Amino acid sequence: MKEIKIFRRVGSFAENKDLAREIRIKELFPYVNNEKELILNFEKVESTTQSFIHALISDIIREKGVSVLDRLYFKNCNVTIQKIINIVTEYMQDKS
Amino acid sequence: MKIHLPNSAWIGNIDPFIRSFDTSNDGILEITSHKKWVSVHPVVLCMIAALGLFMRKKGAKVNFEQMEATSKHYLERIGLFELLEIDSEITVTPHESAGRFIPIKKIKNSEQLNDFIKEIIPLLHTEPEKVEPIKYIISELVRNVFEHAKSFEGAIVCAQYYKKSEIIRIGVVDIGVGIKYTISEHYSPKNDVEAIALALTPGITGTTRRIGGTGENAGAGLFFIKSLAKASRDFFMIYSGKGMYKLLRTPKEKDIKLIADPLKDHFSFDNELPFWRGTVVGIDLCLKKTFDFEKLLDLIRNVYRKGRKEQTKIRYRKPKFI
């Protein structure tokens, strides 16, 4: 299973949306398009913003459907990061 | 144009300062100050700096009247004159402490923002967990400027931390297109306050009319920041165009309740202020032990869920944490 280490790309404060977008387009999309499972590893990431998490995963949920969450794993998230991911995944499941 | 640094201008009493801003004659900017003492919120200094930089860029003259107030040293140390490239003739003696403030800075891109966020931690001389919400606010607000403001000078940022009360006061200002212009691409606000209210509503962004936003914008950032101020029972203000929205303090005896609709919150507004070309955001945040960022995230989550679930009865699929 492919694993993306977020810290390596963005450091301990994951806030750079441009990098989140890059990860999403170049790495996340190709994998989920192939129905493969993927791990987003947040080891050493101390904090993040809602905007970063949104830029990282929202389009994937929107385009591939909520079932993509069955193939996407969030590893080593501290409580704050888990909470922000929960907020984003929930509002992305709200139907427009 | 004329702008006057008053004796006192904090978010709670900032209205007279803003009303006194004279926008006539944009060929010159005259900056004056109270003769005895100037005690102002960082957002006020950001406004002065942003305006000065903008006017100079336009080729207008910027006159900063020689300050007489004793507190002029603070303005020197916080970097106002340096940013405006004005020789203040104020000497700061080397033995003075560096202070617990983040000097005024112009941030124009992601790299500068990244560097700035790294720099602020030691400047505040406080515990890392208390810096978290500060980093969060600065990142979200500055990125809003990058993405929406179309500001040539980027974002002007400044903050001051008060150790005894554990209050941080932050200002982020731009001279850009303003909120009404941005939000009007997909909505039809009648005035600036209505535009600000839309920008504060979770799920609404200037980049699309689609609920949940685009891949890059959710329309949640300002709601998060307003919620941080609300959770710490403090002030939060946005001034853009002729409008200002100000979240007022929640009294101690009242429970904290986050409200998605900013117009149902405890707020004041003014729609007839001197026109500010761009957006001014100021926030106060008390970081005492009672402030719990994780608990706040639960509250935010509940506000989202409550409104949506009642309407759609969606069954949420859970992310898997391993």
Side-chain angles (χ1 to χ4, degrees):
Chain A
M1 198 186 304
K2 182 178 168 73
E3 185 170 318
I4 296 171
K5 293 190 173 172
I6 303 295
F7 176 81
R8 278 193 194 165
R9 319 293 171 88
V10 300
S12 62
F13 180 37
E15 64 83 34
N16 190 330
K17 290 169 71 177
D18 301 333
L19 295 176
R21 182 176 179 272
E22 197 177 298
I23 296 169
R24 184 187 80 219
I25 292 170
K26 290 186 178 166
E27 299 184 62
L28 266 63
F29 259 124
Y31 252 76
V32 294
N33 278 338
N34 292 330
E35 305 290 314
K36 289 178 181 169
E37 294 185 322
L38 185 71
I39 296 170
L40 293 173
N41 190 344
F42 283 79
E43 188 180 13
K44 293 187 193 169
V45 177
E46 291 164 9
S47 54
T48 188
T49 62
Q50 166 269 326
S51 292
F52 177 88
I53 298 298
H54 181 90
L56 189 67
I57 61 172
S58 71
D59 244 13
I60 289 174
I61 298 171
R62 180 179 285 124
E63 289 202 18
K64 307 308 289 182
V66 289
S67 62
V68 78
L69 291 173
D70 294 336
R71 289 180 281 125
L72 203 56
Y73 297 88
F74 301 90
K75 191 175 176 183
N76 293 318
C77 300
N78 65 30
V79 177
T80 303
I81 295 170
Q82 284 193 23
K83 288 186 180 204
I84 291 173
I85 291 170
N86 271 320
I87 290 170
V88 174
T89 56
E90 283 181 5
Y91 71 60
M92 286 313 298
Q93 293 179 65
D94 292 339
K95 300 294 177 194
S96 55
Chain B
M1 285 191 185
K2 288 178 188 167
I3 196 159
H4 179 74
L5 278 163
N7 176 241
S8 168
W10 305 90
I11 299 182
N13 68 347
I14 202 167
D15 307 46
F17 161 71
I18 292 175
R19 277 192 217 109
S20 73
F21 172 38
D22 178 355
T23 57
S24 62
N25 186 9
D26 62 0
I28 184 165
L29 173 64
E30 302 269 10
I31 306 167
T32 55
S33 58
H34 192 270
K35 302 292 177 204
K36 291 192 173 164
W37 190 262
V38 173
S39 177
V40 295
H41 193 283
V43 76
V44 171
L45 302 177
C46 289
M47 286 172 70
I48 304 275
L51 202 56
L53 289 172
F54 172 73
M55 293 295 278
R56 190 157 284 155
K57 186 117 187 165
K58 265 182 58 170
K61 201 173 173 190
V62 178
N63 281 344
F64 201 134
E65 184 192 59
Q66 195 77 25
M67 279 189 80
E68 292 176 28
T70 325
S71 48
K72 62 188 178 187
H73 293 88
Y74 169 71
L75 271 66
E76 173 68 27
R77 282 174 15 181
I78 209 156
L80 179 64
F81 301 111
E82 190 185 335
L83 191 70
L84 290 175
E85 295 174 2
I86 289 170
D87 181 10
S88 65
E89 297 174 23
I90 299 167
T91 312
V92 180
T93 49
H95 64 266
E96 281 183 84
S97 93
R100 296 171 197 281
F101 54 80
I102 299 168
I104 301 181
K105 196 140 188 174
K106 179 168 68 174
I107 305 175
K108 293 181 82 168
N109 55 47
S110 279
E111 290 71 34
Q112 288 177 359
L113 174 60
N114 192 33
D115 291 344
F116 182 76
I117 288 169
K118 279 181 192 158
E119 284 168 18
I120 64 175
I121 301 166
L123 286 176
L124 294 170
H125 306 279
T126 189
E127 301 97 287
E129 65 271 16
K130 289 192 175 167
V131 180
E132 289 308 315
I134 302 165
K135 285 160 53 181
Y136 192 101
I137 289 167
I138 289 174
S139 166
E140 292 281 33
L141 289 178
V142 173
R143 287 200 175 276
N144 271 352
V145 175
F146 293 167
E147 288 164 23
H148 305 295
K150 300 183 173 81
S151 163
F152 285 114
E153 295 292 348
I156 308 297
V157 187
C158 178
Q160 169 90 49
Y161 179 60
Y162 300 81
K163 201 186 178 192
K164 199 173 175 186
S165 55
E166 294 187 50
I167 290 177
I168 179 105
R169 305 189 198 279
I170 304 170
V172 177
V173 172
D174 71 73
I175 304 275
V177 293
I179 291 177
K180 187 163 176 267
Y181 176 91
T182 306
I183 216 89
S184 294
E185 284 185 38
H186 297 282
Y187 294 86
S188 306
K190 290 188 206 85
N191 54 48
D192 288 298
V193 169
E194 211 174 288
I196 294 168
L198 281 166
L200 285 167
T201 304
I204 291 181
T205 166
T207 54
T208 180
R209 229 190 139 84
R210 189 169 56 177
I211 297 293
T214 63
E216 277 71 44
N217 286 286
L222 284 174
F223 173 69
F224 265 63
I225 291 163
K226 179 170 81 77
S227 300
L228 280 163
K230 176 105 184 193
S232 82
R233 301 176 184 275
D234 261 309
F235 287 113
F236 166 78
M237 61 157 285
I238 300 187
Y239 167 36
S240 184
K242 289 183 164 189
M244 178 168 67
Y245 175 98
K246 193 195 292 185
L247 180 77
L248 302 173
R249 280 180 171 152
T250 304
K252 278 182 187 168
E253 64 275 10
K254 276 198 169 181
D255 288 338
I256 297 295
K257 191 181 169 194
L258 299 189
I259 299 165
D261 182 349
L263 300 178
K264 287 182 179 166
D265 228 320
H266 183 41
F267 77 107
S268 69
F269 74 98
D270 194 328
N271 244 326
E272 298 297 329
L273 292 170
F275 186 80
W276 181 268
R277 191 196 143 110
T279 304
V280 173
V281 183
I283 183 169
D284 293 346
L285 207 61
C286 181
L287 304 174
K288 283 195 172 156
K289 281 173 189 166
T290 50
F291 182 84
D292 185 336
F293 191 47
E294 285 173 11
K295 200 175 157 193
L296 173 68
L297 290 173
D298 287 334
L299 288 171
I300 288 173
R301 186 181 175 192
N302 288 338
V303 172
Y304 267 103
R305 292 179 81 181
K306 200 178 163 192
R308 301 279 182 219
K309 271 201 161 181
E310 276 173 6
Q311 291 168 18
T312 59
K313 294 187 175 145
I314 290 167
R315 292 183 68 185
Y316 294 97
R317 200 176 296 235
K318 305 282 183 194
K320 288 192 286 292
F321 299 106
I322 56 173

